């Protein structure tokens, strides 16, 4: 088996589009600016207003920080690559990008899952909510949201980094761990076992906790009064929409990584591979900003200069 000391990877899904690359650059730049401005606005609003220092809004603030983190980890790289004539990435930068991509995705899913649990307590156990979701517990949960994914992904990258590569072509527009592992010359059983084990445990736990929370919430909604139902839907609908949107993005990415998608139109494959990195950071602040009355009123007041 021919092994070489690979110092860079070639991202094979970029195409020569001539002057259209400037149009794509402007579109991506505008999306990035919208993402930065909308998420920063909501972070500032939540941090500056003591009336929003409640568990639900603190978890939202963590979510918006992660949107900035994920977008900053990918958008600048895409902007550079769109204008570049040579679409390569060095080995260290590739693994750094893998770390950004996977920590963003994991933090997002853990954050959304804990928000499901928070809504479950608020709707199904309203009298016990303040004691079961104290600020001290919120702090511990936010620490869990960030620490667990960063440690888990660090282990994954540490298993992939020492691999000797027999190829350098990645069929994507950014670096992905599974795409890199497939290029390895030698046995990758440890990487595959770790990936499968983590996926089964993590995804299974996420599905169970979200499913349990929303089954209980819907049960209360259908058996309760109209007022209870409206209040529950007003706080749960943005979260549920965000959870479904992100889950679909992850599903498309997993399917594309694990199965042969060569028969699918390249443009569609590229769109699906970056969907949850581009759409989610813009989708979340918009849907929460429009649907949660407190945030909407405070944002409007901040933007027009009124209290």
């Amino acid at each position: 088996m021919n092994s070489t000391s690979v110092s860079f990877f070639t991202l094979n899904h970029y195409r020569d589009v001539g002057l259209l690359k400037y149009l794509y650059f402007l579109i991506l730049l505008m999306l990035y600016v919208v993402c930065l401005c909308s998420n920063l606005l909501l972070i500032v609003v939540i941090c500056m207003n003591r009336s929003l220092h409640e568990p639900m809004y603190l978890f939202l603030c963590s979510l918006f920080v992660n949107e900035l983190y994920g977008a900053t980890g990918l958008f600048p790289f895409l902007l550079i690559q769109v204008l570049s004539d040579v679409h390569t990435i060095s080995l260290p930068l590739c693994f750094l990008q893998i770390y950004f991509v996977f920590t963003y995705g994991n933090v997002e899913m853990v954050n959304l899952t804990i928000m499901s649990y928070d809504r479950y307590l608020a709707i199904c156990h309203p009298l016990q909510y303040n004691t079961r979701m104290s600020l001290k517990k919120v702090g511990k949960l936010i620490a869990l949201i960030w620490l667990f994914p960063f440690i888990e992904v660090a282990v994954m990258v540490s298993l992939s980094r020492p691999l000797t590569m027999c190829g350098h072509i990645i069929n994507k527009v950014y670096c992905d761990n599974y795409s890199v592992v497939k290029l390895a010359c030698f046995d990758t059983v440890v990487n595959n076992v770790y990936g499968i084990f983590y996926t089964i445990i993590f995804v299974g736990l996420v599905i169970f906790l979200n499913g349990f929370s929303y089954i209980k919430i819907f049960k209360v909604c259908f058996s309760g009064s109209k007022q209870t139902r409206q209040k529950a839907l007003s706080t749960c609908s943005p979260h549920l929409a965000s959870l479904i949107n992100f889950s679909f993005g992850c599903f498309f990415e997993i399917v594309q990584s694990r199965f042969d998608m060569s028969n699918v139109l390249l443009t569609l494959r590229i769109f699906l591979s970056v969907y949850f990195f581009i759409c989610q950071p813009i989708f979340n602040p918009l849907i929460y900003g429009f649907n949660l009355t407190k945030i909407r009123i405070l944002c409007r007041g901040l933007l027009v200069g009124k209290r």
Side-chain angles (χ1 to χ4, degrees):
M1 191 175 290
N2 295 325
S3 64
T4 57
S5 179
V6 173
S7 60
F8 68 91
F9 292 109
T10 301
L11 301 168
N12 201 35
H13 275 184
Y14 288 96
R15 294 291 183 269
D16 183 11
V17 291
L19 294 178
L20 280 176
K21 67 182 180 181
Y22 298 107
L23 175 63
Y24 295 150
F25 176 85
L26 287 175
I27 292 171
L28 284 172
L29 182 61
M30 285 189 293
L31 289 173
Y32 186 39
V33 170
V34 169
C35 173
L36 289 179
C37 293
S38 57
N39 283 285
L40 277 173
L41 172 65
L42 293 179
I43 291 168
V44 169
V45 165
I46 293 172
C47 291
M48 289 181 61
N49 292 274
R50 293 184 64 85
S51 63
L52 297 182
H53 292 180
E54 300 172 7
M56 181 178 75
Y57 297 106
L58 294 176
F59 291 135
L60 273 176
C61 188
S62 172
L63 190 71
F64 298 142
V65 170
N66 189 49
E67 306 305 354
L68 288 179
Y69 171 78
T72 303
L74 191 65
F75 267 103
F77 175 79
L78 293 177
L79 289 169
I80 293 170
Q81 288 294 324
V82 164
L83 291 181
S84 178
D85 294 324
V86 180
H87 307 292
T88 60
I89 181 171
S90 67
L91 214 65
L93 188 57
C94 180
F95 282 103
L96 180 63
Q97 189 175 76
I98 289 171
Y99 192 78
F100 267 108
V101 167
F102 278 81
T103 48
Y104 162 74
N106 280 259
V107 168
E108 189 84 0
M109 191 54 74
V110 176
N111 207 137
L112 290 170
T113 301
I114 287 178
M115 287 172 69
S116 293
Y117 172 68
D118 173 69
R119 291 299 84 208
Y120 157 71
L121 288 181
I123 294 166
C124 301
H125 302 281
L127 299 179
Q128 303 171 25
Y129 179 73
N130 289 331
T131 55
R132 295 178 67 174
M133 191 57 76
S134 63
L135 287 179
K136 185 177 180 180
K137 186 172 182 180
V138 170
K140 290 179 179 179
L141 289 172
I142 290 176
L144 174 67
I145 287 170
W146 288 89
L147 288 177
F148 173 72
F150 273 70
I151 294 170
E152 179 276 324
V153 177
V155 174
M156 181 191 72
V157 173
S158 67
L159 290 174
S160 301
R161 183 64 182 88
L163 294 173
T164 303
M165 303 297 163
C166 280
H168 63 90
I169 295 178
I170 295 176
N171 292 316
K172 281 197 168 187
V173 293
Y174 63 89
C175 278
D176 168 71
N177 186 66
Y178 187 66
S179 299
V180 170
V181 170
K182 287 193 294 186
L183 297 175
C185 299
F186 307 110
D187 192 10
T188 57
V189 171
V190 175
N191 303 76
N192 292 327
V193 169
Y194 179 79
I196 292 170
F197 177 77
Y198 174 76
T199 300
I200 292 172
I201 298 297
F202 179 73
V203 174
L205 188 60
V206 163
I207 292 172
F208 171 77
L209 291 175
N210 282 293
F212 174 82
S213 298
Y214 272 100
I215 287 170
K216 293 291 185 180
I217 289 170
F218 290 144
K219 190 175 179 180
V220 170
C221 288
F222 288 121
S223 61
S225 64
K226 184 179 179 181
Q227 185 179 3
T228 302
R229 188 158 50 247
Q230 287 177 340
K231 185 178 179 181
L233 289 174
S234 67
T235 59
C236 289
S237 54
H239 173 264
L240 194 57
S242 176
L243 184 63
I244 292 171
N245 182 64
F246 187 71
S247 297
F248 273 118
C250 292
F251 173 75
F252 292 142
E253 175 59 14
I254 291 170
V255 168
Q256 184 170 231
S257 296
R258 299 286 173 172
F259 299 98
D260 182 16
M261 302 285 285
S262 57
N263 293 327
V264 179
L265 186 68
L266 178 62
T267 305
L268 179 60
R269 275 186 282 158
I270 293 173
F271 173 75
L272 292 179
S273 69
V274 298
Y275 177 82
F276 70 105
F277 293 106
I278 292 179
C279 295
Q280 189 77 356
I282 296 172
F283 179 80
N284 274 343
L286 291 178
I287 194 168
Y288 282 108
F290 281 117
N291 281 277
L292 297 182
T293 307
K294 273 188 177 182
I295 289 182
R296 185 172 66 247
I297 292 171
L298 289 169
C299 283
R300 189 185 303 155
L302 184 64
L303 290 172
V304 300
K306 296 180 181 179
R307 293 187 179 272

